[in-house]
Amino acid sequence: MATCPNLKGPDNAVNDPGAAPYGNFINYYSFNPPENRLSLIPATLLQDLGYRDGGDEPTLILDVGCNSGDLSVAIYKHLVQEPEESTVQLLGFDLDETLVERAEQTNPLHSNISFIQLDITEETNQLQDFLSQHSCSHFHLCLCLAVTMWVHLNHGDSGLLQLLSRLAAISTHLLLEAQPWKCYRSAARRLRKLGRSDFDHFKTLKIRGDVAEHATAHLERHCGMELMRSFGSTAWDRKLLLFRRR
């Protein structure tokens, strides 16, 4: 069975997730390359969902916790065949300003992809501004990949549920990858190994076990969304689940 990665290297402060308690790893995509997700996501996803590129209205994609932007760019190129003629716009955000700066510096598609610094647990005004600029009420596709655990560990059960509710409120379709509980234990263990304090909420979390199942239940019961399909599991045993607004 696949497990969470044991990330070791010459500099544990760089390579160990315990050094990034919000999931804001430097060089994250060196140990979890975009291909791990892209191999499961059909290149025709936007068309399959009914979005036509090149029309009068843009198709908006949101990448939650974009890190240094490698996956944002890769998934855009994966889903959009001719970026220079496309009306698909992708907005990526991360709470780490340094990572956002790196994403902006290496972004090869400035007319189609943009990055901002944002903490989704605090406010969403910048996201609403982006939607308004494009005369849209919702993002057509929201990507929330390997983010839920870090919000959960740092903001508790209520923080996780609030994240899901916020994303559901601004998205027509949501592609979710929630880390399994074994990754929580690994993250807490690595943090302690570095001599740091434990995550504030780790020992008091009531949402445990199959976190993806808990997330699905919340989205379907309280957020007006329904599970469309599963694209299978990544090499790290994380399910890719696609939801849509009812």
Side-chain angles (χ1 to χ4, degrees):
M1 177 180 291
T3 60
C4 290
N6 182 19
L7 305 172
K8 298 297 179 183
D11 184 356
N12 284 348
V14 171
N15 293 287
D16 197 308
Y22 294 95
N24 51 324
F25 318 125
I26 299 297
N27 301 323
Y28 171 69
Y29 295 108
S30 65
F31 56 82
N32 189 7
E35 292 74 21
N36 285 350
R37 280 76 170 247
L38 297 186
S39 63
L40 299 174
I41 301 171
T44 57
L45 179 60
L46 293 180
Q47 297 95 303
D48 295 343
L49 297 179
Y51 301 126
R52 185 174 66 88
D53 197 2
D56 295 333
E57 298 182 358
T59 298
L60 304 184
I61 301 175
L62 180 66
D63 186 11
V64 179
C66 64
N67 196 273
S68 58
D70 297 47
L71 180 60
S72 305
V73 172
I75 201 164
Y76 187 95
K77 291 181 176 180
H78 181 68
L79 298 178
V80 178
Q81 304 306 313
E82 299 180 5
E84 61 277 359
E85 300 178 9
S86 177
T87 56
V88 177
Q89 294 288 319
L90 185 148
L91 175 66
F93 72 83
D94 200 279
L95 57 74
D96 190 314
E97 185 176 2
T98 300
L99 290 174
V100 171
E101 290 176 355
R102 179 185 290 191
E104 291 176 336
Q105 291 168 0
T106 59
N107 181 10
L109 298 169
H110 287 282
S111 61
N112 303 95
I113 300 175
S114 53
F115 298 101
I116 60 172
Q117 190 275 330
L118 173 71
D119 184 347
I120 188 86
T121 65
E122 294 185 355
E123 57 92 13
T124 58
N125 291 338
Q126 288 174 273
L127 303 183
Q128 292 295 341
D129 290 344
F130 184 86
L131 290 172
S132 297
Q133 290 169 12
H134 292 87
S135 301
C136 292
S137 59
H138 293 82
F139 288 92
H140 300 89
L141 176 62
C142 174
L143 311 172
C144 184
L145 307 176
V147 172
T148 53
M149 178 180 74
W150 303 107
V151 173
H152 200 188
L153 285 170
N154 287 286
H155 298 279
D157 292 332
S158 61
L160 171 63
L161 300 180
Q162 183 182 62
L163 169 69
L164 296 171
S165 296
R166 284 186 171 184
L167 296 182
I170 59 173
S171 306
T172 303
H173 292 89
L174 170 63
L175 184 61
L176 180 69
E177 176 193 1
Q179 293 99 321
W181 184 251
K182 59 191 172 187
C183 290
Y184 286 65
R185 294 196 298 265
S186 296
R189 184 170 59 250
R190 291 186 180 110
L191 201 65
R192 291 192 296 269
K193 192 174 291 187
L194 289 176
R196 304 190 181 191
S197 300
D198 209 342
F199 291 100
D200 291 340
H201 299 275
F202 177 62
K203 294 180 180 178
T204 60
L205 295 177
K206 291 182 170 57
I207 297 176
R208 295 176 174 241
D210 191 336
V211 181
E213 185 176 297
H214 285 287
T216 298
H218 179 74
L219 289 167
E220 293 190 328
R221 294 173 186 171
H222 304 289
C223 302
M225 303 203 89
E226 61 182 352
L227 179 63
M228 285 183 67
R229 63 173 292 188
S230 170
F231 291 113
S233 298
T234 68
W236 290 1
D237 197 28
R238 301 174 184 175
K239 299 173 184 175
L240 280 180
L241 303 177
L242 180 65
F243 297 85
R244 66 181 171 192
R245 178 178 299 278
R246 290 197 190 98

